Amino acid sequence: MTNAEILIVGAGHNGLVTAAYLAQAGKKVLVLEQRATAGGQLAGATLASGATVPGLHPAGQLRPVIVKELDLARHGLTMSAADAAYVSALPDGGSLRLVSSANDVATIEAIRRLSPRDAGCWPEFVGFMNRAAAFLDAAYSTTMPRLPKIELRWDGLPLASLALKLRRMGGKDMFRVMRSLSMSAVEFTEEWFESEPINAAIAGVAIHGVTLGSMSAGTGFTLIHNWLNRGGLAHRTTTGGPQGLTDALVKAVLTNGGEIRTGAGVAQILVEHQRVLGVRLESGEELKASTVVSSADPRRTLLGLVGAPELPPEFVWQTQSIRMRGSVAKLFVQTDGRHRLPEGTVAIAPTLKYLERAYDSTKYGEMSQDPYLEVTTSGADVMVHVQFATYALRNADWGSMRPELEKRAIDTLALHFPAFKGSVQSVQSITPVDLEQTWGLTEGDLNHGQLILDQIFFMRPLPGWSNHRTPIDGLYLCGSGLHGGGGISGTPGRNAARALLRG
Amino acid sequence: MPELSTVHHPLYQLRRTPFHARTSQLCLPHNWRRWGGCLAAGSYDLGLDREYWAIRNHAALIDISPLIKYEITGRDAARLLHRLTPRDIHRMQVGQVYYTGWCDDDGKLLDDGTVTRIGEQSFRLTAAEPQYRWLALNAVGMQVQVTELTEQLAALSLQGPKSRAILNLACEQPVDSLKYFRMAFNRIAGKPVSVSRTGYTGDLGYEIWMDATDALVIWDALMAAGHDYGITPTGILAMDMARVEAGLFMLDVDYTSASHAWIPGQRSSPYEMGLGWTVNLDKQGYFVGRRALEREHREGSSWKLVGLEIDWEGLEREYAAVGMPPQVPASAVRGSIPVYAGPRQVGYASTSTWSPVLKKYIALVHLQQPYFTPGTKVEIEVTVEHHRRKSPATVVTLPFYDPEWKKK
């Protein structure tokens, strides 16, 4: 039994953000989490194999507006002010250390060694990226119109204000941002810099987490998206790491009177005549509520938890058509501490073609021979993000490919940092199938739907359904698959709460 | 000269039904029509009278093989049709046949046809147009198989007061106990058939469903059994007159499928088409269009398909004014004709015909609220010697013609 008015499916960061906002507004909320701990992708897990692994991301930040509105500083969340370093391994064995600040002397000096011209461009580039990210931030916190049925009364004002923000960027910047969204990372970076290692280092961030190559259209957009979420090229840490972020959100929910139940997986969202009735847990327990907000991905929520038979056929077709296609795997490597990897965010993105070739393999249902990697260290622990490890392997399956995944990732990293290989003591890996089974991510897609041009803005999660609602009255979506989502920012969670409170 | 194979390429050819070997021998005027991508005989005679009167007085044999047919089987077969249509499929008995339309989620008709419960987990669905995509879309998340049987399953319609007597002669089992809108398995000439007491004429009649490979044997058996009863191969034009008398409408003639409508105004709901009786809002669970149909039921429909009888004296007057006797069309007219209340157009006729059995000029008309109330006096446009005139007419309930033996 519960006396909650609103049930929230999933205690990932977006579910918790929505819950905290609703609780803050005086609503009785109950968050239901399948796993034993809250935190979603930021929380560790026990895999089907029995292995335990930490959370999937080395760092994550919430938008400052969320930290402020939910008073998360009071709950222990503080952002690191220090500029984080992004280190790209160069083909010749050296490395390029970039700090995403317009006037970092060391960074400009490092670029100058590759190209004096590029060094001159760096401050302008960083300034542009920050302004472009600020625009995207503004767009993400604006509820998108329900095209094609635009209702000026509701959508008109926020859109006009967004247009005004865009206009204020100045004509040149505005035009450049609009152009950048559809460009490829190769085209975009080559407009700024002539030095391949710089372009490739930046392009690595552009393809990070998405099933796109450096030459794919729309990686200009994903670069700005990732830049916004990271605050630059490198991951920026928070106090207590990702766990600190989850802890702060959990406290925010609880202190506002919300409840969180872990080990309470939702098996079914109960619906009658297109109206939500509550949920049925995996234990069989039924909880009644007039409002259910799901932070699970849209496909899993709608086709899995609600079920296609309760939804209009065209909507089912649209939901089936959301492209998920995860292609990320993770490695957690325990070393003896002598791995000799640099501090910060380390990328194996030596050339633009290297990144495109790594992506090519997904077209053929294969794992990259030479994958793009992003590596972070915490003492002797090394976390490796591996792309591309496509969910949809052809002629193979992830049950048998796991050793090969681990071998290719370790060999690739050792190629650039030879000391690493000898330091390895144990390896845990997470394949796209693990992401699906353990974290509930359809097709292992970390973003709950690919960040591609036809799946963003008013087309996310689906054209005509950008207002967090669904054809089921009382069922809302608040996860990463919504506008603003993909990555850790909390924006979809905040937008969902606002849409719900607006009524 | 192009290769014969090029000319006969399936892309350029209308398909032939399994009865083509017989119908093509009989179709002396070569009056072929297109029906569902098939050659269908319009009439086997130069006029329609003989075939029309066979429907009403003895027995007409009509090749209805071009109908689109699906077999729906599996654990969720009933669930799929329950979701697809506004009727309560879970209440259907094995051997029962339902006539129904089905809608998009805006509650607008996509197509209409019959659902037959062949077994507990087995149904047959007929449609005017292919529905595979729509069926597949509605079947997501269900355990059900949808198989198109259009070409494998041949079908004949035997319509008319003598159809029962003929079937009793031709079939292994008598059909006397087969009730209206029921289906039973039987054998004709040793071949398995299913016989449903259904049709598109509003008369006593049956539809016989068989494997396409048995088509000719069964045709011959029925023709032989019906010889003494005046069985008459009948084309779709005479059937078109009979179906108007029976108040039955036709896709693309009397309504536009919501999937083909260019503008919202071209779409029609079941309520607007007089199919309110098929919409079961009390049934359990979601079905496509439920919300919209509930709203329309609550708020009332702004249009309705009803019958219109053109006032004979009024028509006579208009023709007499130019010194002519009244002229009536020789077959059903599939064309839009304006209907007026005073100076204002309040609707249109979509099919009109002279009814030989009723001796009346009748039409299926779409009228705006409140003009669709039976008994309302309106005027319909008639073209008299190249001049547009108006003739008085009266709104009536459908069907126009409902013989007592239809359901007995």
Side-chain angles (χ1 to χ4, degrees):
Chain A
M1 274 304 292
T2 175
N3 57 357
E5 311 162 75
I6 302 174
L7 301 176
I8 291 167
V9 182
H13 70 284
N14 279 314
L16 292 173
V17 166
T18 302
Y21 272 99
L22 294 175
Q24 196 178 52
K27 303 283 182 194
K28 291 198 174 71
V29 298
L30 170 61
V31 185
L32 299 163
E33 169 57 46
Q34 183 171 37
R35 300 199 292 139
T37 49
Q41 294 184 30
L42 298 177
T46 306
L47 302 183
S49 62
T52 55
V53 290
L56 299 175
H57 302 283
Q61 308 166 62
L62 296 172
R63 298 312 306 150
V65 65
I66 297 173
V67 176
K68 185 166 150 261
E69 286 171 350
L70 293 179
D71 203 7
L72 294 178
R74 191 161 66 87
H75 301 300
L77 187 71
T78 49
M79 306 304 295
S80 158
D83 285 329
Y86 181 80
V87 183
S88 183
L90 301 181
D92 64 6
S95 63
L96 174 66
R97 190 175 184 280
L98 301 169
V99 171
S100 311
S101 141
N103 39 30
D104 183 76
V105 179
T107 298
I108 293 171
E109 191 46 45
I111 297 173
R112 197 188 309 282
R113 281 195 290 275
L114 295 166
S115 155
R117 181 190 162 277
D118 288 354
C121 292
W122 179 256
E124 201 194 325
F125 171 75
V126 172
F128 169 77
M129 286 304 292
N130 286 338
R131 292 193 299 280
F135 162 69
L136 203 57
D137 196 19
Y140 281 169
S141 50
T142 305
T143 303
M144 287 288 122
R146 282 186 67 180
L147 293 177
K149 293 178 206 159
I150 184 161
E151 288 176 58
L152 276 181
R153 194 157 58 104
W154 296 113
D155 305 327
L157 195 64
L159 273 189
S161 117
L162 178 63
L164 198 67
K165 273 184 195 138
L166 187 60
R167 192 70 200 85
R168 280 211 203 103
M169 295 178 76
K172 199 174 145 216
D173 264 359
M174 176 178 78
F175 188 66
R176 199 158 196 176
V177 169
M178 298 313 284
R179 255 184 95 233
S180 308
L181 300 180
S182 61
M183 287 169 88
S184 72
V186 169
E187 291 160 343
F188 178 76
T189 54
E190 286 183 346
E191 275 197 3
W192 284 97
F193 304 108
E194 60 182 11
S195 165
E196 171 100 9
I198 298 170
N199 290 339
I202 297 167
V205 175
I207 65 164
H208 187 89
V210 295
T211 305
L212 293 171
S214 57
M215 293 176 185
S216 302
T219 41
F221 157 71
T222 45
L223 174 63
I224 300 170
H225 175 90
N226 285 337
W227 184 287
L228 166 66
N229 283 347
R230 293 178 176 201
L233 293 172
H235 291 291
R236 219 175 274 233
T237 48
T238 50
T239 44
Q243 188 58 46
L245 192 152
T246 302
D247 292 344
L249 282 174
V250 167
K251 278 184 200 146
V253 174
L254 299 179
T255 51
N256 283 303
E259 292 176 80
I260 300 170
R261 269 173 72 178
T262 53
V266 172
Q268 178 97 45
I269 293 173
L270 302 171
V271 166
E272 190 179 72
H273 295 175
Q274 286 180 275
R275 155 105 239 148
V276 80
L277 297 178
V279 303
R280 183 166 57 244
L281 301 182
E282 283 163 356
S283 63
E285 184 186 354
E286 289 191 3
L287 302 174
K288 304 281 177 217
S290 57
T291 305
V292 173
V293 190
S294 175
S295 65
D297 72 59
R299 184 124 44 108
R300 181 160 178 242
T301 301
L302 295 161
L303 301 186
L305 299 179
V306 174
E310 298 293 342
L311 294 162
E314 294 290 353
F315 185 83
V316 169
W317 178 74
Q318 283 192 321
T319 309
Q320 285 181 312
S321 307
I322 299 174
R323 272 167 293 166
M324 314 295 282
R325 293 196 305 204
S327 59
V328 172
K330 301 270 180 176
L331 255 60
F332 299 99
V333 185
Q334 280 187 319
T335 70
D336 58 11
R338 284 173 292 192
H339 52 65
R340 306 278 301 273
L341 290 163
E343 289 270 310
T345 306
V346 180
I348 305 299
T351 68
L352 290 165
K353 282 211 173 87
Y354 179 94
L355 297 174
E356 182 67 14
R357 283 207 190 96
Y359 162 69
D360 272 345
S361 62
T362 61
K363 297 181 201 164
Y364 310 110
E366 291 164 7
M367 186 166 70
S368 305
Q369 200 64 47
D370 301 304
Y372 149 73
L373 305 179
E374 198 181 78
V375 184
T376 49
T377 53
S378 170
D381 293 340
V382 179
M383 183 195 251
V384 188
H385 169 105
V386 188
Q387 259 177 263
F388 293 82
T390 182
Y391 171 84
L393 282 177
R394 200 180 292 170
N395 306 325
D397 64 74
W398 279 112
S400 57
M401 282 298 273
R402 190 186 296 276
E404 186 63 23
L405 163 74
E406 293 171 359
K407 181 177 179 296
R408 286 187 200 177
I410 288 169
D411 287 353
T412 302
L413 188 55
L415 204 63
H416 296 271
F417 300 97
F420 169 70
K421 202 163 188 173
S423 74
V424 173
Q425 290 185 326
S426 72
V427 182
Q428 303 284 7
S429 54
I430 295 176
T431 69
V433 171
D434 294 326
L435 293 176
E436 185 171 65
Q437 287 174 353
T438 306
W439 278 268
L441 297 160
T442 304
E443 292 184 30
D445 191 336
L446 296 170
N447 294 318
H448 293 202
Q450 284 290 297
L451 286 166
I452 39 186
L453 294 177
D454 59 336
Q455 295 194 155
I456 59 167
F457 298 139
F458 58 88
M459 293 172 283
R460 192 172 185 88
L462 293 170
W465 294 97
S466 51
N467 60 352
H468 297 268
R469 291 169 188 269
T470 65
I472 306 295
D473 287 349
L475 176 65
Y476 293 78
L477 300 175
C478 72
S480 236
L482 279 287
H483 171 62
I488 295 146
S489 68
T491 304
R494 175 175 182 260
N495 289 348
R498 282 152 61 99
L500 210 149
L501 291 170
R502 203 168 50 221
Chain B
M1 270 293 280
E3 289 269 334
L4 204 62
S5 61
T6 313
V7 178
H8 286 259
H9 188 279
L11 272 178
Y12 307 110
Q13 256 202 331
L14 287 164
R15 286 184 292 118
R16 296 166 173 200
T17 77
F19 300 102
H20 192 77
R22 296 292 178 273
T23 55
S24 58
Q25 292 293 306
L26 292 161
C27 190
L28 297 176
H30 293 296
N31 183 10
W32 296 102
R33 300 293 155 127
R34 183 201 299 267
W35 178 9
C38 292
L39 277 173
S43 67
Y44 296 94
D45 202 346
L46 291 169
L48 304 182
D49 290 17
R50 205 163 56 85
E51 294 168 26
Y52 170 83
W53 286 112
I55 294 172
R56 291 294 172 227
N57 284 348
H58 27 111
L61 188 64
I62 309 160
D63 176 8
I64 56 164
S65 303
L67 269 176
I68 309 285
K69 310 167 211 89
Y70 296 96
E71 180 185 67
I72 297 164
T73 56
R75 194 195 72 185
D76 290 332
R79 193 172 170 214
L80 169 59
L81 289 163
H82 192 78
R83 168 184 159 88
L84 184 84
T85 71
R87 299 204 63 166
D88 191 342
I89 301 295
H90 291 309
R91 278 172 45 186
M92 244 183 139
Q93 292 165 4
V94 173
Q96 200 171 0
V97 185
Y98 274 177
Y99 169 71
T100 185
W102 52 93
C103 301
D104 65 6
D105 209 42
D106 293 332
K108 303 297 183 187
L109 281 170
L110 291 167
D111 201 341
D112 63 290
T114 56
V115 177
T116 306
R117 191 161 202 165
I118 305 284
E120 206 49 53
Q121 298 190 352
S122 166
F123 292 83
R124 187 186 295 148
L125 174 74
T126 67
E129 291 191 331
Q131 300 292 323
Y132 190 82
R133 175 185 177 267
W134 193 246
L135 288 165
L137 215 47
N138 278 283
V140 175
M142 295 189 194
Q143 278 185 32
V144 59
Q145 293 81 46
V146 178
T147 316
E148 183 169 351
L149 293 181
T150 304
E151 290 187 45
Q152 295 97 299
L153 201 64
L156 286 170
S157 185
L158 183 64
Q159 301 286 308
K162 298 293 179 235
S163 53
R164 182 185 290 145
I166 295 169
L167 278 183
N168 280 340
L169 272 182
C171 290
E172 206 173 85
Q173 303 288 326
V175 296
D176 292 318
S177 60
L178 189 62
K179 290 192 194 130
Y180 189 56
F181 270 78
R182 295 282 166 159
M183 180 282 302
F185 295 105
N186 214 321
R187 278 179 180 275
I188 295 175
K191 306 292 186 189
V193 294
S194 53
V195 178
S196 58
R197 192 166 157 193
T198 48
Y200 198 47
T201 63
D203 221 295
L204 175 69
Y206 300 85
E207 288 169 327
I208 302 128
W209 314 84
M210 69 212 83
D211 196 285
T213 52
D214 299 331
L216 297 180
V217 181
I218 290 166
W219 172 283
D220 294 342
L222 286 168
M223 286 298 287
H227 181 269
D228 292 349
Y229 294 93
I231 193 170
T232 307
T234 296
I236 61 175
L237 296 179
M239 184 166 66
D240 213 16
M241 293 170 75
R243 64 104 183 162
V244 177
E245 293 172 338
L248 303 171
F249 55 76
M250 185 181 272
L251 178 68
D252 283 341
V253 177
D254 300 295
Y255 77 100
T256 304
S257 168
S259 55
H260 302 319
W262 291 103
I263 51 169
Q266 287 180 340
R267 306 175 305 168
S268 297
S269 76
Y271 290 115
E272 290 171 341
M273 295 304 290
L275 290 188
W277 62 275
T278 65
V279 181
N280 188 338
L281 295 176
D282 298 326
K283 78 176 191 178
Q284 283 295 306
Y286 168 80
F287 66 88
V288 186
R290 174 167 210 136
R291 282 269 167 101
L293 293 170
E294 280 171 350
R295 194 180 319 117
E296 189 177 337
H297 183 67
R298 210 167 44 236
E299 294 170 4
S301 311
S302 39
W303 287 85
K304 197 167 177 190
L305 179 82
V306 286
L308 194 70
E309 284 184 7
I310 291 99
D311 185 56
W312 188 253
E313 281 80 24
L315 191 67
E316 219 168 22
R317 243 189 334 271
E318 292 304 322
Y319 277 95
V322 295
M324 297 261 293
Q327 307 286 305
V328 289
S331 63
V333 176
R334 298 173 169 190
S336 177
I337 305 172
V339 176
Y340 298 88
R344 201 164 84 83
Q345 187 178 347
V346 295
Y348 58 95
S350 47
T351 312
S352 50
T353 191
W354 170 251
S355 167
V357 72
L358 298 170
K359 308 279 186 284
K360 279 176 183 167
Y361 187 21
I362 56 173
L364 296 177
V365 292
H366 304 258
L367 293 178
Q368 281 170 325
Q369 206 250 337
Y371 301 96
F372 50 61
T373 313
T376 306
K377 300 284 181 195
V378 292
E379 289 182 304
I380 187 165
E381 187 178 288
V382 284
T383 305
V384 178
E385 284 300 290
H386 321 294
H387 287 274
R388 292 179 179 185
R389 321 289 293 187
K390 289 175 188 173
S391 178
T394 308
V395 175
V396 298
T397 48
L398 293 171
F400 298 98
Y401 180 67
D402 198 16
E404 56 173 280
W405 50 84
K406 179 172 89 175
K407 295 187 183 178
K408 215 160 89 177

